[in-house]
Amino acid sequence: MGLVFDDRGNRMSPTHTTRKAGRYRYYVSQAVLQGRKKEAGTIARIGAQELERIVVEAIRRTFPDTSKEQTHTPGDLYDQSARDLVSNQVERIVVHAVEVEIIFQTPDTASPSLWADGEAPRILRVPVPGRRLRDRKDIIIPGVAGTPPRRLDRSLVLAVARGRTWAAALRQGEYADTAEIAGKCGLSEAYVRRILRLAFLAPDIVESIAEGRQPRGLTLHRLLCPVPFAWAEQRQRFGFAI
């Protein structure tokens, strides 16, 4: 509680609903709770158990020594060691469209056990598996002088920007390979490789996505499918006019 934010800086507060099958917990953006829905982040509501599992398991994978060589089971998600791990080490958790960003406290403020070797990451990024398409959020920009409105899909823009940034970093020798990117960003190497394909999109496709002029049916899931190298084939596959 108090650590979770959406990707527009709004704190996300715990809440719950009760159904016949039981009680379901969520984290909901304060922008939504305060009636400012348009100011909410890309993901304004996320299941509490889903988010907490992602965070605790990611920290335990990154800092295996904190588990004291014990084998954790799903039931351990809410034990005292997990609570202490999060409260003593995590500064902020930011929920993005396709990933969760875990920002750790600095070595000066965090428990020293995690930082003993000086190699612990400051930020850990973990993909959110299987986000449903209904969680996708567009920013609709009104058209000018009779032109159709634009739909700026932040998840598409972020993915393309990441792909181009990582490709440039590889060319400049900042990373040795995709495995190093995956390790430093807390992502799977397969996901990094899919994102890197977006660095080879045709310039007009990149421009359309950046300006919110992409075809209505172009989702991040579709864009992460195999990308043809020929620009004409890319336009045809992703629904851009030739």
Side-chain angles (χ1 to χ4, degrees):
M1 187 172 180
L3 297 178
V4 185
F5 293 79
D6 66 23
D7 56 5
R8 294 189 72 182
N10 300 295
R11 191 182 300 276
M12 299 185 77
S13 300
T15 185
H16 72 275
T17 59
T18 302
R19 302 175 187 170
K20 291 182 180 180
R23 189 168 180 258
Y24 297 87
R25 298 184 303 111
Y26 302 90
Y27 287 94
V28 181
S29 172
Q30 276 291 323
V32 173
L33 296 177
Q34 296 173 8
R36 300 179 286 108
K37 190 173 181 179
K38 293 182 179 179
E39 299 177 23
T42 309
I43 301 297
R45 175 188 178 101
I46 188 171
Q49 187 168 0
E50 174 189 16
L51 177 62
E52 291 159 2
R53 176 183 55 78
I54 289 172
V55 171
V56 172
E57 290 183 355
I59 297 175
R60 281 176 168 162
R61 284 196 305 269
T62 306
F63 306 107
D65 290 342
T66 62
S67 65
K68 298 180 181 179
E69 298 183 354
Q70 297 176 0
T71 300
H72 294 275
T73 64
D76 294 325
L77 182 61
Y78 302 107
D79 65 14
Q80 191 59 45
S81 67
R83 294 175 184 271
D84 291 344
L85 186 63
V86 174
S87 63
N88 294 336
Q89 309 298 347
V90 176
E91 177 179 307
R92 176 178 288 224
I93 298 164
V94 183
V95 180
H96 295 273
V98 295
E99 68 180 13
V100 172
E101 184 180 49
I102 305 170
I103 303 173
F104 293 102
Q105 298 175 28
T106 62
D108 294 334
T109 58
S111 173
S113 60
L114 255 64
W115 302 87
D117 59 2
E119 297 295 331
R122 178 77 170 92
I123 298 177
L124 186 64
R125 295 181 175 87
V126 188
V128 180
R131 294 306 305 171
R132 297 182 295 275
L133 289 180
R134 67 184 180 86
D135 288 329
R136 175 171 168 259
K137 187 168 186 174
D138 294 336
I139 299 174
I140 301 178
I141 305 173
V144 179
T147 60
R150 292 177 286 151
R151 294 179 178 272
L152 190 61
D153 188 323
R154 301 168 78 174
S155 63
L156 291 179
V157 174
L158 174 63
V160 172
R162 268 187 157 184
R164 293 167 69 89
T165 299
W166 288 344
L170 284 170
R171 287 195 297 268
Q172 295 168 9
E174 296 178 23
Y175 295 107
D177 50 29
T178 53
E180 185 177 354
I181 295 176
K184 289 191 175 180
C185 295
L187 302 169
S188 71
E189 188 175 3
Y191 178 77
V192 170
R193 288 179 180 275
R194 289 198 299 271
I195 292 293
L196 273 171
R197 297 171 186 161
L198 306 184
F200 303 100
L201 288 174
D204 55 303
I205 293 180
V206 173
E207 183 177 347
S208 294
I209 291 173
E211 295 180 354
R213 295 185 289 102
Q214 72 278 357
R216 187 71 176 87
L218 183 61
T219 63
L220 180 58
H221 176 76
R222 185 179 173 192
L223 196 64
L224 290 181
C225 292
V227 176
F229 281 104
W231 290 350
E233 292 181 26
Q234 292 177 9
R235 298 182 188 106
Q236 183 176 9
R237 174 167 298 185
F238 297 128
F240 288 85
I242 299 177

